[in-house]
Amino acid sequence: MPELRNARTAPAGVTILMTNWNHEYLLPRSVGSALRTVRDLRKHGVPAEVLVVDDASRDGSLTLLRQYEALYFEDGLRVLALPKNGGYVGIARNLGMPHAHYRHTVFFDSDDELIPENMIYFYRSMVQTGAALVYGSMIGVGDDADSYTLISNESYQPRILQQNYIGALVLTDRMQLTDLGGYSENPDMFAREDWELHLHLAANGRRVVFVPLVMGIYYDVPNSMTKDADKSAIHQKQHAFIRRSFNQLGIRQRQLLNTRHLRYHPDIGYL
């Protein structure tokens, strides 16, 4: 598997891998936060880059991204334009991973915004714990821009089998991810690839670690894939798939997993 060989030989550092599909008007905010994060990581001696995977957008996204690439290439921005839309964000992420220069990869979408000064703490937590995935809290902004919530702010617990509460914005060890096959490309998990990944990593004995800091901001965008996936028939089908895959015998929540309740801060240790 060339992706796994690439991950094993990749140098230490962070690739911020952002996926985009028809979010032209959100790109200035998301790309800007990614570039600021790269600058902050480099300030702390951590090599970093931004890789934007455009999933065959039909609006003006690619034109804008190419302009950004020309302006900020020396600052570490590259664009991978997929010729055909894969239909699922997990496919776009999997296609982008072999093009990442560094072993550790931040996954986020164009409707997210990173908190640049906090990423160094997530990176240090990953290196110190050997985790496959670390994540933190996110500030959710409602589509009216007047309501705010704190989401993705709990450690990995058995109740994740019933509902995913960990956001898609995460920092991962790409070697461990590709070793287990990356994101699911099963159409049954449309817009829920991140939920399947969290369960998949935990079931295989990998560590999923919560860092009690804000990692980013999630903007609730009208007509998002997640909202489409919340429609009752799709929602029920996805829960059935999760049960069959990870809790068919109904005993998973009673097992001692390597990743249960792991809370960590690099300046303190496990909490």
Side-chain angles (χ1 to χ4, degrees), residues 30-239:
S30 53
V31 172
S33 73
L35 287 169
R36 291 192 299 275
T37 303
V38 165
R39 287 195 291 271
D40 193 82
L41 286 169
R42 290 177 175 180
K43 183 178 68 177
H44 288 91
V46 179
E49 65 172 354
V50 181
L51 174 62
V52 183
V53 180
D54 185 78
D55 199 7
S57 293
R58 299 295 290 175
D59 62 357
S61 289
L62 187 56
T63 298
L64 181 58
L65 286 170
R66 289 300 189 203
Q67 292 171 340
Y68 282 154
E69 186 177 38
L71 287 170
Y72 299 108
F73 185 81
E74 295 299 325
D75 296 319
L77 174 63
R78 292 182 295 131
V79 176
L80 174 64
L82 301 181
K84 181 179 179 182
N85 181 268
Y88 306 101
V89 68
I91 294 176
R93 291 171 181 163
N94 288 341
L95 290 172
M97 275 195 279
H99 298 270
H101 285 155
Y102 301 112
R103 172 168 171 171
H104 298 98
T105 305
V106 175
F107 290 102
F108 88 118
D109 300 323
S110 49
D111 52 2
D112 295 332
E113 181 179 358
L114 296 172
I115 305 297
E117 59 270 24
N118 283 352
M119 190 57 68
I120 184 62
Y121 296 101
F122 291 97
Y123 176 75
R124 289 173 55 204
S125 297
M126 168 154 282
V127 171
Q128 292 173 18
T129 63
L133 182 150
V134 300
Y135 67 100
S137 300
M138 294 188 68
I139 298 172
V141 180
D143 55 10
D144 58 0
D146 289 326
S147 59
Y148 299 88
T149 56
L150 188 63
I151 57 179
S152 189
N153 61 325
E154 299 180 45
S155 59
Y156 189 101
Q157 301 169 39
R159 74 179 188 87
I160 198 172
L161 289 162
Q162 281 74 50
Q163 181 180 4
N164 184 40
Y165 54 83
I166 300 175
L169 173 55
V170 295
L171 173 63
T172 67
D173 179 348
R174 187 159 53 91
M175 187 181 76
Q176 296 189 56
L177 227 63
T178 52
D179 187 37
L180 294 180
Y183 282 88
S184 172
E185 298 183 4
N186 189 320
D188 284 346
M189 293 310 296
F190 169 75
R192 293 285 188 267
E193 299 91 343
D194 51 330
W195 186 18
E196 198 277 345
L197 177 69
H198 306 150
L199 293 169
H200 184 51
L201 290 173
N204 280 270
R206 311 300 173 114
R207 292 189 168 199
V208 178
V209 174
F210 172 70
V211 179
L213 293 169
V214 176
M215 197 174 197
I217 303 170
Y218 167 72
Y219 293 90
D220 190 2
V221 178
N223 304 313
S224 67
M225 287 193 303
T226 302
K227 288 183 177 179
D228 286 343
D230 282 339
K231 295 175 182 176
S232 58
I234 300 175
H235 194 63
Q236 292 173 7
K237 188 175 182 180
Q238 290 175 338
H239 277 260

